Amino acid sequence: MPELPEVETVVRLIRPRLTGRKMIGARFSVPRQLRPQTPDSVRRAVRCQVVSRVQRRGKYILIDLDKGTLLVHLRMTGRLYVRSSGKPHDAHERAFFDLDDGCTLVLNDSRTLGTIRYFSKKKLPAQIQRLGWEPLEETPGPDQVRDIFRRRTLAIKPLLLDQSLWAGIGNIYASEILWDATINPQKRASQLTREEIRRLIDSVPRILRHALECGGTTLRNFADPDGKSGSYQDEFRVYGRDGETCLRCGGVIVRIVQAQRSTYYCKKCQKMRQNICGKEKGEIV
DNA sequence: CATTACCTGCAA
DNA sequence: TTGCAGGTAATG
């Protein structure tokens, strides 16, 4: 479930069930997910601590305790939920934090790429410090974005996946945002026009907010133990729609690969545009 | 900058 | 059997 809208949805679901609860134990079946820490050290660190706050930064989940913070990243297949006592287990549950009310905070992660680590207060890890704008809270100015893009020759789509610009955009929403902003995903960031940058800055929070209102995206029939699932997949304009028709212009949606990841866009309305000055460098039609 | 590694599960 | 999947860090 892991782009910003999905992570925020998870945080909102677990927050009321965690806040004020004391952790009385912890178990981990894949020690690698805690690296460079160990199951023993994390278990000892969290034991008897009370959850004071649950937050999100980019795609990271921060579970604040009295004396430190648990940092969880779901990566590709991670799911985080609070299970009531007696409810059935699942084969892919990898980490368990037992709470004083009998419930358990569970990390379910089939590919085991998700990460958990504990850090004591005051020292925010580098991963968090490197993150860029929080899309739902701050909107960068066009000149600021232009200054950054000016120096970047990378295509705009893979650049949107760079968490040091906007934090929380992933592979699905990058395509959806660029469709919304009517920008060709292969266009180099340095070649974006002032107008395209303006539309991009506008589209980023609007698409992510809309997805959040839908409860995020649920792909591949993920069964949520709470019976909750997002519906944004019904709102997709381009993602996974290759061969289908563009809902804006009737053009064909195509799939390409950029930086080893799928990108979807409309070949007609997201075509590389001409400048007033003529064809742009690197144009691919 | 691009490529690879880290993993498992499912569909083509 | 291969390729692909909502991500990031570590390599050349």
Side-chain angles (χ1 to χ4, degrees):
Chain A
M1 321 201 212
E3 297 184 45
L4 185 152
E6 293 74 38
V7 177
E8 179 64 25
T9 299
V10 168
V11 163
R12 291 180 182 187
L13 278 172
I14 65 177
R15 180 182 286 136
R17 302 193 62 186
L18 286 182
T19 309
R21 298 273 63 78
K22 182 191 282 183
M23 297 203 167
I24 59 175
R27 291 139 23 229
F28 308 97
S29 58
V30 185
R32 178 174 39 74
Q33 297 189 281
L34 305 173
R35 269 190 327 198
Q37 297 167 331
T38 65
D40 262 3
S41 70
V42 176
R43 185 186 324 109
R44 276 199 297 266
V46 303
R47 205 179 52 200
C48 296
Q49 288 208 56
V50 173
V51 177
S52 57
R53 192 164 52 157
V54 182
Q55 316 175 73
R56 177 192 57 75
R57 179 76 175 92
K59 298 172 195 168
Y60 288 88
I61 298 167
L62 292 93
I63 301 172
D64 285 338
L65 308 173
D66 306 313
K67 296 180 289 188
T69 299
L70 272 174
L71 186 64
V72 179
H73 197 296
L74 302 174
R75 294 289 183 99
M76 299 290 271
T77 52
R79 294 149 62 199
L80 195 65
Y81 48 84
V82 178
R83 198 184 48 221
S84 302
S85 60
K87 291 286 177 65
H89 291 223
D90 180 272
H92 300 116
E93 294 180 348
R94 314 294 189 192
F96 309 85
F97 296 89
D98 298 314
L99 308 174
D100 60 353
D101 62 354
C103 294
T104 306
L105 172 67
V106 178
L107 172 68
N108 184 314
D109 187 1
S110 61
R111 285 173 71 179
T112 71
L113 295 173
T115 59
I116 297 175
R117 62 179 284 214
Y118 176 86
F119 60 95
S120 50
K121 285 258 190 284
K122 297 167 188 38
K123 36 181 183 178
L124 265 190
Q127 302 130 279
I128 296 288
Q129 293 186 336
R130 275 196 293 268
L131 295 176
W133 305 300
E134 193 54 54
L136 302 186
E137 282 163 28
E138 45 186 333
T139 302
D143 294 335
Q144 195 183 355
V145 175
R146 205 175 162 69
D147 283 346
I148 295 168
F149 282 8
R150 220 192 306 260
R151 287 172 282 115
R152 304 301 299 264
T153 56
L154 192 64
I156 183 60
K157 191 273 189 168
L159 186 60
L160 283 182
L161 300 181
D162 183 335
Q163 303 296 295
S164 69
L165 296 171
W166 283 278
I169 298 175
N171 201 45
I172 289 180
Y173 296 110
S175 284
E176 294 296 322
I177 286 164
L178 290 174
W179 180 85
D180 191 72
T182 324
I183 295 171
N184 185 293
Q186 295 166 299
K187 194 164 182 179
R188 296 170 185 276
S190 56
Q191 301 295 315
L192 291 193
T193 65
R194 198 171 289 273
E195 195 51 30
E196 285 174 321
I197 289 175
R198 206 191 51 70
R199 292 201 303 269
L200 180 63
I201 291 169
D202 181 65
S203 293
V204 166
R206 206 184 42 256
I207 294 296
L208 296 176
R209 260 194 206 104
H210 181 198
L212 177 58
E213 281 162 15
C214 294
T217 295
T218 305
L219 250 34
R220 293 172 259 289
N221 303 348
F222 265 44
D224 192 303
D226 293 330
K228 304 212 167 73
S229 56
S231 61
Y232 193 75
Q233 63 279 7
D234 301 334
E235 307 288 313
F236 286 170
R237 296 294 185 265
V238 284
Y239 189 84
R241 296 189 71 241
D242 47 319
E244 296 181 41
T245 299
C246 175
L247 297 170
R248 177 168 50 211
C249 76
V252 186
I253 308 298
V254 294
R255 171 187 180 270
I256 59 171
V257 174
Q258 295 181 282
Q260 285 83 245
R261 316 218 43 202
S262 291
T263 298
Y264 300 88
Y265 73 103
C266 173
K267 236 183 154 161
K268 190 172 167 194
C269 60
Q270 286 176 273
K271 189 156 51 178
M272 293 264 192
R273 301 216 179 291
Q274 284 182 214
N275 271 339
I276 313 143
C277 313
K279 287 222 176 215
E280 292 181 2
K281 217 177 111 187
E283 175 153 14
I284 300 159
V285 183

